[in-house]
């Protein structure tokens, strides 16, 4: 039942996880932060949640012209037509598969030192690919917008409705500025190998703390 309390709690966790990943993924991608083991475990939990959310989507009714549809065939057709592709692209565990490939290559290379030098560039490209594929998880932000719309439809107070509208605008502005700042720093850092005069070096930011680099990127991005 899409109106059940259990579904509402499930969507609430999805919204919180989506906000966290929308903040942390661009930061990790741009500033290459060494994450703690606890956070990696938490990320695996979030990835598992979004994979399970696909299964939930196949078993959740929907409204059609004001009528609740609970027939399994209609639910499957509707989910395939609407959110399935987006959920699959945004939730597929690319990093799990590529991390396994990297570990396998490192194990093989450690046993054969002569091949380690030849595989080093390939491993580096795989590591970069893992980081960039995480951008696809940001597609979940579109699902967050859907959750906010569903919540908005259930509000009966004008004050709460106006508060939610203001909150949605603030969230959109925050994420836009956040992604621009991270993207601005990422592009400059990637171009620094070809351009030693890139602003991250000319402003001597490359060795500064992450917070200083982020605030400077945010300032120049907006």
């Amino acid at each position: 039942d899409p109106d059940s309390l259990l579904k509402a709690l499930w969507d609430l966790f999805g919204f919180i996880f989506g906000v966290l990943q929308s903040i942390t993924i661009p930061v990790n991608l741009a500033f290459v932060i060494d994450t703690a083991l606890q956070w990696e475990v938490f990320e695996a939990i979030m990835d598992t949640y979004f994979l399970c959310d696909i299964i939930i989507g196949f078993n959740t009714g929907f409204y059609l012209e004001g009528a609740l549809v609970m027939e399994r065939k209609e639910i499957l057709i509707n989910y395939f037509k609407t959110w399935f592709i987006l959920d699959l692209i945004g939730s597929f565990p690319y990093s799990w598969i590529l991390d396994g490939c990297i570990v396998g290559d490192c194990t093989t290379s450690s046993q054969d030192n002569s091949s380690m030098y030849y595989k080093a560039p390939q491993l580096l490209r795989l590591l970069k690919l893992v980081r960039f594929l995480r951008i696809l998880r940001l597609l979940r932000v579109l699902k967050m917008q859907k959750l906010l719309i569903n919540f908005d439809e259930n509000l009966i107070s004008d004050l709460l409705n106006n508060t939610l509208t203001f909150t949605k605008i603030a969230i959109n502005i925050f994420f836009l500025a956040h992604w621009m700042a991270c993207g601005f720093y990422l592009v400059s850092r990637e171009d620094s190998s070809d351009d030693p005069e890139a602003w991250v070096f000319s402003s001597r930011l490359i060795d500064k703390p992450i917070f200083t680099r982020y605030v400077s990127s945010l300032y120049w991005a907006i």
Side-chain angles (χ1 to χ4, degrees), residues 21-22 33 35 43 45-46 49-50 54 59 64 69 84 88 103 126 165 177 188 201 206 215 220:
Q21 292 200 332
S22 298
I33 301 174
T35 56
E43 277 193 330
I45 293 174
M46 289 191 289
Y49 166 88
F50 286 109
I54 296 178
N59 294 275
L64 180 63
V69 178
F84 174 72
L88 181 63
V103 171
L126 274 177
T165 300
S188 182
F201 285 103
I206 197 68
V215 172
W220 289 108

Side-chain angles (χ1 to χ4, degrees), residues 20-21 24 28 35-44 46:
L20 287 175
Q21 292 200 332
T24 58
N28 290 333
T35 56
L37 178 61
Q38 293 85 346
W39 178 255
E40 292 181 357
V41 172
F42 185 60
E43 277 193 330
M46 289 191 289

Side-chain angles (χ1 to χ4, degrees), residues 15 147-155 157-171:
F15 181 81
L147 296 177
L148 286 175
I149 292 173
N150 292 339
F151 185 63
D152 192 11
E153 292 175 348
N154 294 324
L155 293 179
S157 170
D158 290 338
L159 177 60
L160 291 177
N161 201 349
N162 293 333
T163 302
L164 181 61
T165 300
F166 175 79
T167 302
K168 288 191 291 186
I169 295 173
I171 289 175

Side-chain angles (χ1 to χ4, degrees), residues 20-87:
L20 287 175
Q21 292 200 332
S22 298
I23 295 173
T24 58
I25 288 175
V27 171
N28 290 333
L29 183 63
F31 300 97
V32 193
I33 301 174
D34 293 329
T35 56
L37 178 61
Q38 293 85 346
W39 178 255
E40 292 181 357
V41 172
F42 185 60
E43 277 193 330
I45 293 174
M46 289 191 289
D47 290 342
T48 303
Y49 166 88
F50 286 109
L51 285 174
C52 293
D53 190 56
I54 296 178
I55 301 175
I56 297 295
F58 281 120
N59 294 275
T60 302
F62 65 97
Y63 283 95
L64 180 63
E65 298 180 353
L68 179 62
V69 178
M70 295 295 291
E71 295 181 11
R72 177 59 58 87
K73 181 180 178 181
E74 296 297 326
I75 292 174
L76 293 177
I77 294 175
N78 179 73
Y79 187 53
F80 271 116
K81 288 182 177 179
T82 54
W83 290 101
F84 174 72
I85 299 299
L86 177 66
D87 288 346

Side-chain angles (χ1 to χ4, degrees), residues 14-15 17-23 25-26 50 83 86-87 90-91 134-149 168 171-172 175-176 178-179:
F15 181 81
F17 290 161
V19 169
L20 287 175
Q21 292 200 332
S22 298
I23 295 173
I25 288 175
F50 286 109
W83 290 101
L86 177 66
D87 288 346
S91 303
R134 289 176 180 171
I135 295 177
L136 295 176
R137 297 178 183 174
L138 297 181
L139 291 174
R140 298 168 184 168
V141 175
L142 299 177
K143 197 73 174 285
M144 292 164 52
Q145 293 289 339
K146 176 178 178 288
L147 296 177
L148 286 175
I149 292 173
K168 288 191 291 186
I171 289 175
N172 289 332
F175 280 128
L176 180 61
H178 177 67
W179 294 343

